[in-house]
Amino acid sequence: MTTAPVSRASSRGRTRLANDAWEAALGAHTALMRRFTEDDVWAGLSMRDYDVLYTLAKCDAPQRLGDLGRHVLLSQPGLSRLVDRLVDRGLVARCADPSDARAAHLSLTDEGRAIQRRVGRAHGASVAAALTARLSDEELVLLESLSRKLSLTDDDLPEETP
Amino acid sequence: MTTAPVSRASSRGRTRLANDAWEAALGAHTALMRRFTEDDVWAGLSMRDYDVLYTLAKCDAPQRLGDLGRHVLLSQPGLSRLVDRLVDRGLVARCADPSDARAAHLSLTDEGRAIQRRVGRAHGASVAAALTARLSDEELVLLESLSRKLSLTDDDLPEETP
DNA sequence: GTTAATTACATGCGTACGCATATAATCGGC
DNA sequence: GCCGATTATATGCGTACGCATGTAATTAAC
């Protein structure tokens, strides 16, 4: 039984395509993460530490914890304590939000910004080396395009059956 | 200064393309992992637990720890203890390797296989739902193709300057 | 205007993780 | 056939994580 008896012939194939694609994507993520982790560019930061510093550097305005949380794959308490450690190390500053006393504005210190830049340059070079060795320019653009589509929330999707 | 003075005009653009693509890919990974983690399909397993059960199910032959380690993003001690827990729960069996007394062959128990199938069906459906809602068939094939290229080791790459 | 519900973040607690290292078995040179 | 090097897995230890819950501030209901 190589073809299952389904209503539309394309249906099962589409499920299979999606699962194969996801498995391959996970494999790529694993392989590249391992490679980048092994790079000698991190200056004592974990990749998650760097992710937070990078996010703070990208947005000039001070960010709240919840904003960071949307970008980082980490629980809210986990992120709270990760930021704690970065504050203790002097890389991130907490300052009060005048309009909301619950929230704390987070921003990079000078040292945090300096480290983010240093690590970012080296890591960016490593990322570029790995990806450009494997994909053409057109493929890189395609990867970005597909990734953006995959990042969409359900709310952002056009409805199938309105 | 919008264009940096580099030797070849395409060089900086290519680095930028690669970094943008990687950032987008990380975002997609985060978004989808969050979505799948929140699914109510895991039957008490972590996604890493499932990853190990799935890998064991995929390869009918009993696997060694090191073989699993290549597929799972986890340190060797971490994987060792993860397997410990799965053995304690009765989902995985360790049996001795007759030809190598250091290694232990790992295989699914009947219960482990049953749970993997149950969870796999539900998770596979969720993966398909998420991906097919965002990508066309052609795009799914493309994603798999790009991911496979990204999974290649340096050794597998054609040399740039032999 | 008071109070319930919600939001934003922090903390207690048990578990899982990574790093360094240990243990045990196999392999290679001679 | 013996011994150093290597491979395969396990363990000690300190740290980081997620879940449940707590605390404080804001919004909403009336």
Side-chain angles (χ1 to χ4, degrees):
Chain A
M1 178 157 65
T2 56
T3 59
V6 288
S7 49
R8 291 180 301 156
S10 70
S11 182
R12 185 181 181 286
R14 197 156 158 67
T15 292
R16 181 62 182 276
L17 280 181
N19 280 277
D20 288 349
W22 178 238
E23 186 172 345
L26 278 183
H29 179 260
T30 299
L32 288 170
M33 287 298 281
R34 231 197 278 276
R35 178 196 174 97
F36 296 144
T37 301
E38 283 165 3
D39 279 341
D40 194 28
V41 302
W42 296 108
L45 297 175
S46 73
M47 222 183 280
R48 276 174 171 164
D49 292 335
Y50 174 73
D51 201 356
V52 167
L53 297 187
Y54 174 74
T55 304
L56 286 177
K58 209 174 38 176
C59 316
D60 40 347
Q63 294 291 112
R64 311 168 60 149
L65 250 188
D67 301 328
L68 289 179
R70 274 177 273 287
H71 294 289
V72 181
L73 188 55
L74 198 60
S75 67
Q76 177 268 316
L79 181 57
S80 179
R81 282 195 258 245
L82 172 51
V83 168
D84 276 351
R85 293 191 296 273
L86 293 173
V87 170
D88 288 344
R89 289 207 249 172
L91 305 181
V92 168
R94 282 184 215 267
C95 35
D97 183 334
S99 70
D100 187 342
R102 298 170 301 178
H105 278 169
L106 302 172
S107 55
L108 292 179
T109 63
D110 290 344
E111 188 185 350
R113 190 173 302 273
I115 289 194
Q116 187 279 319
R117 283 193 181 136
R118 234 171 1 100
V119 172
R121 256 189 290 276
H123 175 50
S126 177
V127 167
L131 268 68
T132 60
R134 288 163 179 77
L135 300 182
S136 69
D137 282 18
E138 294 75 23
E139 289 172 326
L140 289 172
V141 171
L142 222 45
L143 175 61
E144 181 178 345
S145 161
L146 295 176
S147 299
R148 286 199 193 289
K149 290 183 183 175
L150 287 174
S151 304
L152 293 177
T153 311
D154 279 333
D155 311 329
D156 303 325
L157 291 174
E159 298 178 28
E160 181 79 14
T161 55
Chain B
M1 177 157 65
T2 56
T3 58
V6 288
S7 50
R8 291 180 301 156
S10 70
S11 181
R12 186 181 180 287
R14 196 157 159 66
T15 292
R16 181 63 182 276
L17 280 180
N19 279 278
D20 288 349
W22 178 238
E23 186 172 344
L26 278 182
H29 179 261
T30 298
L32 289 170
M33 287 298 282
R34 230 196 281 274
R35 178 196 174 98
F36 297 144
T37 301
E38 283 164 3
D39 280 339
D40 194 27
V41 302
W42 296 108
L45 297 174
S46 73
M47 222 184 279
R48 275 173 171 166
D49 293 336
Y50 174 74
D51 202 357
V52 166
L53 296 187
Y54 174 75
T55 305
L56 286 176
K58 209 174 39 175
C59 316
D60 41 347
Q63 294 290 112
R64 310 168 59 149
L65 251 187
D67 302 328
L68 290 180
R70 274 177 272 287
H71 294 288
V72 183
L73 189 54
L74 197 62
S75 67
Q76 177 269 317
L79 181 57
S80 179
R81 281 195 257 244
L82 171 52
V83 168
D84 276 351
R85 293 191 295 271
L86 293 174
V87 170
D88 289 344
R89 289 206 248 173
L91 306 180
V92 167
R94 281 184 215 268
C95 36
D97 184 333
S99 71
D100 188 341
R102 297 169 302 181
H105 278 172
L106 303 173
S107 55
L108 292 179
T109 63
D110 290 344
E111 189 185 349
R113 190 172 303 274
I115 289 193
Q116 187 279 317
R117 284 194 181 134
R118 237 176 354 106
V119 173
R121 256 188 290 275
H123 174 50
S126 176
V127 167
L131 268 69
T132 60
R134 288 163 179 77
L135 301 182
S136 69
D137 282 18
E138 294 75 22
E139 288 171 327
L140 289 172
V141 171
L142 221 45
L143 175 61
E144 181 178 346
S145 160
L146 295 176
S147 297
R148 287 198 193 290
K149 289 183 184 174
L150 287 174
S151 303
L152 293 177
T153 312
D154 279 333
D155 312 329
D156 304 325
L157 292 174
E159 298 178 28
E160 181 79 14
T161 55

PDB file of all heavy atoms in Angstrom, chain B residues 70-100:
ATOM      1  N   ARG B  70      24.193  12.515  17.454  1.00  0.00           N
ATOM      2  CA  ARG B  70      24.364  13.288  16.227  1.00  0.00           C
ATOM      3  C   ARG B  70      23.064  13.963  15.808  1.00  0.00           C
ATOM      4  O   ARG B  70      23.076  14.974  15.115  1.00  0.00           O
ATOM      5  CB  ARG B  70      24.889  12.379  15.106  1.00  0.00           C
ATOM      6  CG  ARG B  70      26.415  12.247  15.117  1.00  0.00           C
ATOM      7  CD  ARG B  70      26.918  11.293  14.057  1.00  0.00           C
ATOM      8  NE  ARG B  70      26.971   9.910  14.520  1.00  0.00           N
ATOM      9  CZ  ARG B  70      27.877   9.433  15.375  1.00  0.00           C
ATOM     10  NH1 ARG B  70      28.781  10.235  15.888  1.00  0.00           N
ATOM     11  NH2 ARG B  70      27.864   8.173  15.727  1.00  0.00           N
ATOM     12  N   HIS B  71      21.930  13.409  16.229  1.00  0.00           N
ATOM     13  CA  HIS B  71      20.645  13.968  15.801  1.00  0.00           C
ATOM     14  C   HIS B  71      20.060  14.950  16.809  1.00  0.00           C
ATOM     15  O   HIS B  71      19.230  15.770  16.455  1.00  0.00           O
ATOM     16  CB  HIS B  71      19.645  12.831  15.580  1.00  0.00           C
ATOM     17  CG  HIS B  71      20.009  11.937  14.441  1.00  0.00           C
ATOM     18  ND1 HIS B  71      19.909  12.335  13.127  1.00  0.00           N
ATOM     19  CD2 HIS B  71      20.499  10.674  14.396  1.00  0.00           C
ATOM     20  CE1 HIS B  71      20.302  11.354  12.332  1.00  0.00           C
ATOM     21  NE2 HIS B  71      20.669  10.331  13.073  1.00  0.00           N
ATOM     22  N   VAL B  72      20.462  14.821  18.078  1.00  0.00           N
ATOM     23  CA  VAL B  72      19.840  15.612  19.131  1.00  0.00           C
ATOM     24  C   VAL B  72      20.800  16.704  19.587  1.00  0.00           C
ATOM     25  O   VAL B  72      21.991  16.445  19.778  1.00  0.00           O
ATOM     26  CB  VAL B  72      19.464  14.701  20.329  1.00  0.00           C
ATOM     27  CG1 VAL B  72      18.747  15.509  21.397  1.00  0.00           C
ATOM     28  CG2 VAL B  72      18.577  13.552  19.855  1.00  0.00           C
ATOM     29  N   LEU B  73      20.279  17.903  19.768  1.00  0.00           N
ATOM     30  CA  LEU B  73      21.114  19.033  20.194  1.00  0.00           C
ATOM     31  C   LEU B  73      21.244  19.001  21.704  1.00  0.00           C
ATOM     32  O   LEU B  73      20.502  19.661  22.426  1.00  0.00           O
ATOM     33  CB  LEU B  73      20.482  20.357  19.748  1.00  0.00           C
ATOM     34  CG  LEU B  73      21.327  21.613  19.919  1.00  0.00           C
ATOM     35  CD1 LEU B  73      22.669  21.454  19.245  1.00  0.00           C
ATOM     36  CD2 LEU B  73      20.609  22.817  19.378  1.00  0.00           C
ATOM     37  N   LEU B  74      22.198  18.209  22.183  1.00  0.00           N
ATOM     38  CA  LEU B  74      22.337  17.961  23.615  1.00  0.00           C
ATOM     39  C   LEU B  74      23.750  17.434  23.833  1.00  0.00           C
ATOM     40  O   LEU B  74      24.295  16.749  22.978  1.00  0.00           O
ATOM     41  CB  LEU B  74      21.295  16.919  24.027  1.00  0.00           C
ATOM     42  CG  LEU B  74      20.952  16.747  25.502  1.00  0.00           C
ATOM     43  CD1 LEU B  74      20.374  18.017  26.071  1.00  0.00           C
ATOM     44  CD2 LEU B  74      19.964  15.612  25.672  1.00  0.00           C
ATOM     45  N   SER B  75      24.316  17.755  24.991  1.00  0.00           N
ATOM     46  CA  SER B  75      25.665  17.265  25.269  1.00  0.00           C
ATOM     47  C   SER B  75      25.616  15.756  25.493  1.00  0.00           C
ATOM     48  O   SER B  75      24.565  15.191  25.773  1.00  0.00           O
ATOM     49  CB  SER B  75      26.228  17.956  26.501  1.00  0.00           C
ATOM     50  OG  SER B  75      25.507  17.557  27.642  1.00  0.00           O
ATOM     51  N   GLN B  76      26.757  15.109  25.405  1.00  0.00           N
ATOM     52  CA  GLN B  76      26.797  13.664  25.608  1.00  0.00           C
ATOM     53  C   GLN B  76      26.326  13.280  27.004  1.00  0.00           C
ATOM     54  O   GLN B  76      25.492  12.367  27.131  1.00  0.00           O
ATOM     55  CB  GLN B  76      28.222  13.139  25.325  1.00  0.00           C
ATOM     56  CG  GLN B  76      28.408  11.663  25.579  1.00  0.00           C
ATOM     57  CD  GLN B  76      28.876  11.400  27.005  1.00  0.00           C
ATOM     58  OE1 GLN B  76      29.739  12.087  27.517  1.00  0.00           O
ATOM     59  NE2 GLN B  76      28.277  10.418  27.661  1.00  0.00           N
ATOM     60  N   PRO B  77      26.788  13.939  28.055  1.00  0.00           N
ATOM     61  CA  PRO B  77      26.239  13.581  29.374  1.00  0.00           C
ATOM     62  C   PRO B  77      24.748  13.854  29.471  1.00  0.00           C
ATOM     63  O   PRO B  77      24.018  13.080  30.097  1.00  0.00           O
ATOM     64  CB  PRO B  77      27.023  14.468  30.336  1.00  0.00           C
ATOM     65  CG  PRO B  77      28.273  14.808  29.632  1.00  0.00           C
ATOM     66  CD  PRO B  77      27.909  14.893  28.191  1.00  0.00           C
ATOM     67  N   GLY B  78      24.309  14.942  28.869  1.00  0.00           N
ATOM     68  CA  GLY B  78      22.886  15.252  28.896  1.00  0.00           C
ATOM     69  C   GLY B  78      22.064  14.156  28.241  1.00  0.00           C
ATOM     70  O   GLY B  78      21.028  13.737  28.786  1.00  0.00           O
ATOM     71  N   LEU B  79      22.533  13.691  27.095  1.00  0.00           N
ATOM     72  CA  LEU B  79      21.817  12.616  26.406  1.00  0.00           C
ATOM     73  C   LEU B  79      21.858  11.330  27.220  1.00  0.00           C
ATOM     74  O   LEU B  79      20.866  10.596  27.305  1.00  0.00           O
ATOM     75  CB  LEU B  79      22.431  12.396  25.022  1.00  0.00           C
ATOM     76  CG  LEU B  79      21.770  11.321  24.178  1.00  0.00           C
ATOM     77  CD1 LEU B  79      20.287  11.609  23.993  1.00  0.00           C
ATOM     78  CD2 LEU B  79      22.476  11.186  22.842  1.00  0.00           C
ATOM     79  N   SER B  80      23.021  11.052  27.833  1.00  0.00           N
ATOM     80  CA  SER B  80      23.159   9.854  28.654  1.00  0.00           C
ATOM     81  C   SER B  80      22.087   9.817  29.736  1.00  0.00           C
ATOM     82  O   SER B  80      21.432   8.789  29.962  1.00  0.00           O
ATOM     83  CB  SER B  80      24.556   9.827  29.281  1.00  0.00           C
ATOM     84  OG  SER B  80      24.723   8.695  30.100  1.00  0.00           O
ATOM     85  N   ARG B  81      21.909  10.945  30.396  1.00  0.00           N
ATOM     86  CA  ARG B  81      20.927  10.966  31.489  1.00  0.00           C
ATOM     87  C   ARG B  81      19.494  11.026  30.975  1.00  0.00           C
ATOM     88  O   ARG B  81      18.579  10.490  31.616  1.00  0.00           O
ATOM     89  CB  ARG B  81      21.231  12.134  32.421  1.00  0.00           C
ATOM     90  CG  ARG B  81      22.391  11.786  33.355  1.00  0.00           C
ATOM     91  CD  ARG B  81      22.490  12.749  34.508  1.00  0.00           C
ATOM     92  NE  ARG B  81      23.558  13.692  34.292  1.00  0.00           N
ATOM     93  CZ  ARG B  81      24.645  13.787  35.058  1.00  0.00           C
ATOM     94  NH1 ARG B  81      24.809  12.983  36.072  1.00  0.00           N
ATOM     95  NH2 ARG B  81      25.565  14.677  34.811  1.00  0.00           N
ATOM     96  N   LEU B  82      19.293  11.673  29.844  1.00  0.00           N
ATOM     97  CA  LEU B  82      17.962  11.658  29.236  1.00  0.00           C
ATOM     98  C   LEU B  82      17.538  10.223  28.934  1.00  0.00           C
ATOM     99  O   LEU B  82      16.413   9.804  29.228  1.00  0.00           O
ATOM    100  CB  LEU B  82      17.972  12.506  27.955  1.00  0.00           C
ATOM    101  CG  LEU B  82      16.745  12.457  27.058  1.00  0.00           C
ATOM    102  CD1 LEU B  82      15.480  12.725  27.838  1.00  0.00           C
ATOM    103  CD2 LEU B  82      16.882  13.446  25.920  1.00  0.00           C
ATOM    104  N   VAL B  83      18.468   9.444  28.371  1.00  0.00           N
ATOM    105  CA  VAL B  83      18.178   8.037  28.088  1.00  0.00           C
ATOM    106  C   VAL B  83      17.947   7.282  29.401  1.00  0.00           C
ATOM    107  O   VAL B  83      17.030   6.455  29.494  1.00  0.00           O
ATOM    108  CB  VAL B  83      19.312   7.409  27.269  1.00  0.00           C
ATOM    109  CG1 VAL B  83      19.176   5.893  27.223  1.00  0.00           C
ATOM    110  CG2 VAL B  83      19.315   7.982  25.864  1.00  0.00           C
ATOM    111  N   ASP B  84      18.755   7.576  30.419  1.00  0.00           N
ATOM    112  CA  ASP B  84      18.523   6.988  31.749  1.00  0.00           C
ATOM    113  C   ASP B  84      17.067   7.128  32.153  1.00  0.00           C
ATOM    114  O   ASP B  84      16.431   6.159  32.578  1.00  0.00           O
ATOM    115  CB  ASP B  84      19.364   7.711  32.810  1.00  0.00           C
ATOM    116  CG  ASP B  84      20.790   7.182  32.886  1.00  0.00           C
ATOM    117  OD1 ASP B  84      21.061   6.157  32.242  1.00  0.00           O
ATOM    118  OD2 ASP B  84      21.602   7.808  33.582  1.00  0.00           O
ATOM    119  N   ARG B  85      16.566   8.350  32.032  1.00  0.00           N
ATOM    120  CA  ARG B  85      15.197   8.601  32.479  1.00  0.00           C
ATOM    121  C   ARG B  85      14.192   7.822  31.643  1.00  0.00           C
ATOM    122  O   ARG B  85      13.210   7.280  32.173  1.00  0.00           O
ATOM    123  CB  ARG B  85      14.890  10.110  32.418  1.00  0.00           C
ATOM    124  CG  ARG B  85      15.703  10.923  33.414  1.00  0.00           C
ATOM    125  CD  ARG B  85      15.211  12.350  33.519  1.00  0.00           C
ATOM    126  NE  ARG B  85      15.367  13.115  32.296  1.00  0.00           N
ATOM    127  CZ  ARG B  85      16.448  13.812  31.966  1.00  0.00           C
ATOM    128  NH1 ARG B  85      17.503  13.823  32.766  1.00  0.00           N
ATOM    129  NH2 ARG B  85      16.494  14.501  30.846  1.00  0.00           N
ATOM    130  N   LEU B  86      14.446   7.756  30.327  1.00  0.00           N
ATOM    131  CA  LEU B  86      13.530   7.010  29.465  1.00  0.00           C
ATOM    132  C   LEU B  86      13.566   5.521  29.799  1.00  0.00           C
ATOM    133  O   LEU B  86      12.539   4.836  29.730  1.00  0.00           O
ATOM    134  CB  LEU B  86      13.886   7.245  27.996  1.00  0.00           C
ATOM    135  CG  LEU B  86      13.660   8.680  27.501  1.00  0.00           C
ATOM    136  CD1 LEU B  86      14.183   8.860  26.082  1.00  0.00           C
ATOM    137  CD2 LEU B  86      12.194   9.055  27.583  1.00  0.00           C
ATOM    138  N   VAL B  87      14.740   5.013  30.170  1.00  0.00           N
ATOM    139  CA  VAL B  87      14.839   3.613  30.590  1.00  0.00           C
ATOM    140  C   VAL B  87      14.065   3.404  31.891  1.00  0.00           C
ATOM    141  O   VAL B  87      13.290   2.451  32.023  1.00  0.00           O
ATOM    142  CB  VAL B  87      16.317   3.200  30.761  1.00  0.00           C
ATOM    143  CG1 VAL B  87      16.418   1.831  31.425  1.00  0.00           C
ATOM    144  CG2 VAL B  87      17.029   3.199  29.409  1.00  0.00           C
ATOM    145  N   ASP B  88      14.263   4.348  32.834  1.00  0.00           N
ATOM    146  CA  ASP B  88      13.537   4.244  34.106  1.00  0.00           C
ATOM    147  C   ASP B  88      12.021   4.244  33.883  1.00  0.00           C
ATOM    148  O   ASP B  88      11.283   3.563  34.589  1.00  0.00           O
ATOM    149  CB  ASP B  88      13.904   5.413  35.035  1.00  0.00           C
ATOM    150  CG  ASP B  88      15.329   5.288  35.571  1.00  0.00           C
ATOM    151  OD1 ASP B  88      15.892   4.178  35.466  1.00  0.00           O
ATOM    152  OD2 ASP B  88      15.864   6.289  36.078  1.00  0.00           O
ATOM    153  N   ARG B  89      11.583   5.017  32.882  1.00  0.00           N
ATOM    154  CA  ARG B  89      10.146   5.093  32.617  1.00  0.00           C
ATOM    155  C   ARG B  89       9.657   3.893  31.808  1.00  0.00           C
ATOM    156  O   ARG B  89       8.465   3.806  31.504  1.00  0.00           O
ATOM    157  CB  ARG B  89       9.830   6.381  31.844  1.00  0.00           C
ATOM    158  CG  ARG B  89       9.971   7.626  32.682  1.00  0.00           C
ATOM    159  CD  ARG B  89       9.069   8.721  32.126  1.00  0.00           C
ATOM    160  NE  ARG B  89       9.845   9.815  31.555  1.00  0.00           N
ATOM    161  CZ  ARG B  89       9.310  10.825  30.881  1.00  0.00           C
ATOM    162  NH1 ARG B  89       8.006  10.866  30.680  1.00  0.00           N
ATOM    163  NH2 ARG B  89      10.071  11.786  30.396  1.00  0.00           N
ATOM    164  N   GLY B  90      10.592   3.032  31.396  1.00  0.00           N
ATOM    165  CA  GLY B  90      10.178   1.843  30.671  1.00  0.00           C
ATOM    166  C   GLY B  90       9.896   2.069  29.197  1.00  0.00           C
ATOM    167  O   GLY B  90       9.251   1.244  28.545  1.00  0.00           O
ATOM    168  N   LEU B  91      10.400   3.172  28.638  1.00  0.00           N
ATOM    169  CA  LEU B  91      10.139   3.461  27.226  1.00  0.00           C
ATOM    170  C   LEU B  91      11.283   3.028  26.327  1.00  0.00           C
ATOM    171  O   LEU B  91      11.096   2.823  25.126  1.00  0.00           O
ATOM    172  CB  LEU B  91       9.886   4.962  27.041  1.00  0.00           C
ATOM    173  CG  LEU B  91       8.791   5.560  27.931  1.00  0.00           C
ATOM    174  CD1 LEU B  91       8.624   7.044  27.668  1.00  0.00           C
ATOM    175  CD2 LEU B  91       7.478   4.821  27.717  1.00  0.00           C
ATOM    176  N   VAL B  92      12.477   2.908  26.911  1.00  0.00           N
ATOM    177  CA  VAL B  92      13.672   2.538  26.147  1.00  0.00           C
ATOM    178  C   VAL B  92      14.362   1.395  26.880  1.00  0.00           C
ATOM    179  O   VAL B  92      14.331   1.341  28.111  1.00  0.00           O
ATOM    180  CB  VAL B  92      14.631   3.744  26.008  1.00  0.00           C
ATOM    181  CG1 VAL B  92      15.992   3.317  25.498  1.00  0.00           C
ATOM    182  CG2 VAL B  92      14.021   4.802  25.091  1.00  0.00           C
ATOM    183  N   ALA B  93      14.951   0.487  26.114  1.00  0.00           N
ATOM    184  CA  ALA B  93      15.688  -0.634  26.696  1.00  0.00           C
ATOM    185  C   ALA B  93      17.157  -0.536  26.326  1.00  0.00           C
ATOM    186  O   ALA B  93      17.496  -0.210  25.183  1.00  0.00           O
ATOM    187  CB  ALA B  93      15.111  -1.956  26.195  1.00  0.00           C
ATOM    188  N   ARG B  94      18.002  -0.770  27.310  1.00  0.00           N
ATOM    189  CA  ARG B  94      19.435  -0.915  27.050  1.00  0.00           C
ATOM    190  C   ARG B  94      19.750  -2.401  26.966  1.00  0.00           C
ATOM    191  O   ARG B  94      19.434  -3.154  27.876  1.00  0.00           O
ATOM    192  CB  ARG B  94      20.250  -0.384  28.232  1.00  0.00           C
ATOM    193  CG  ARG B  94      20.410   1.079  28.339  1.00  0.00           C
ATOM    194  CD  ARG B  94      21.332   1.352  29.533  1.00  0.00           C
ATOM    195  NE  ARG B  94      20.967   2.577  30.235  1.00  0.00           N
ATOM    196  CZ  ARG B  94      21.505   3.760  29.950  1.00  0.00           C
ATOM    197  NH1 ARG B  94      22.381   3.855  28.993  1.00  0.00           N
ATOM    198  NH2 ARG B  94      21.156   4.826  30.628  1.00  0.00           N
ATOM    199  N   CYS B  95      20.419  -2.833  25.921  1.00  0.00           N
ATOM    200  CA  CYS B  95      20.941  -4.195  25.930  1.00  0.00           C
ATOM    201  C   CYS B  95      22.400  -4.141  25.500  1.00  0.00           C
ATOM    202  O   CYS B  95      22.825  -3.211  24.798  1.00  0.00           O
ATOM    203  CB  CYS B  95      20.131  -5.111  25.024  1.00  0.00           C
ATOM    204  SG  CYS B  95      19.518  -4.334  23.534  1.00  0.00           S
ATOM    205  N   ALA B  96      23.175  -5.093  25.961  1.00  0.00           N
ATOM    206  CA  ALA B  96      24.608  -5.084  25.723  1.00  0.00           C
ATOM    207  C   ALA B  96      24.918  -5.294  24.240  1.00  0.00           C
ATOM    208  O   ALA B  96      24.204  -6.011  23.537  1.00  0.00           O
ATOM    209  CB  ALA B  96      25.278  -6.174  26.563  1.00  0.00           C
ATOM    210  N   ASP B  97      25.973  -4.655  23.798  1.00  0.00           N
ATOM    211  CA  ASP B  97      26.474  -4.870  22.444  1.00  0.00           C
ATOM    212  C   ASP B  97      27.461  -6.033  22.502  1.00  0.00           C
ATOM    213  O   ASP B  97      28.469  -5.957  23.203  1.00  0.00           O
ATOM    214  CB  ASP B  97      27.168  -3.591  21.959  1.00  0.00           C
ATOM    215  CG  ASP B  97      27.643  -3.709  20.511  1.00  0.00           C
ATOM    216  OD1 ASP B  97      27.914  -4.845  20.077  1.00  0.00           O
ATOM    217  OD2 ASP B  97      27.745  -2.678  19.839  1.00  0.00           O
ATOM    218  N   PRO B  98      27.199  -7.135  21.795  1.00  0.00           N
ATOM    219  CA  PRO B  98      28.078  -8.300  21.888  1.00  0.00           C
ATOM    220  C   PRO B  98      29.485  -8.006  21.361  1.00  0.00           C
ATOM    221  O   PRO B  98      30.463  -8.565  21.866  1.00  0.00           O
ATOM    222  CB  PRO B  98      27.360  -9.340  21.018  1.00  0.00           C
ATOM    223  CG  PRO B  98      26.472  -8.559  20.114  1.00  0.00           C
ATOM    224  CD  PRO B  98      26.069  -7.345  20.891  1.00  0.00           C
ATOM    225  N   SER B  99      29.589  -7.102  20.387  1.00  0.00           N
ATOM    226  CA  SER B  99      30.891  -6.872  19.751  1.00  0.00           C
ATOM    227  C   SER B  99      31.641  -5.698  20.354  1.00  0.00           C
ATOM    228  O   SER B  99      32.784  -5.434  19.977  1.00  0.00           O
ATOM    229  CB  SER B  99      30.686  -6.637  18.258  1.00  0.00           C
ATOM    230  OG  SER B  99      30.078  -5.384  18.061  1.00  0.00           O
ATOM    231  N   ASP B 100      31.026  -4.977  21.290  1.00  0.00           N
ATOM    232  CA  ASP B 100      31.700  -3.835  21.913  1.00  0.00           C
ATOM    233  C   ASP B 100      31.108  -3.630  23.295  1.00  0.00           C
ATOM    234  O   ASP B 100      30.016  -3.087  23.441  1.00  0.00           O
ATOM    235  CB  ASP B 100      31.533  -2.574  21.056  1.00  0.00           C
ATOM    236  CG  ASP B 100      32.386  -1.422  21.579  1.00  0.00           C
ATOM    237  OD1 ASP B 100      32.811  -1.468  22.750  1.00  0.00           O
ATOM    238  OD2 ASP B 100      32.643  -0.474  20.819  1.00  0.00           O
TER     239      ASP B 100
END
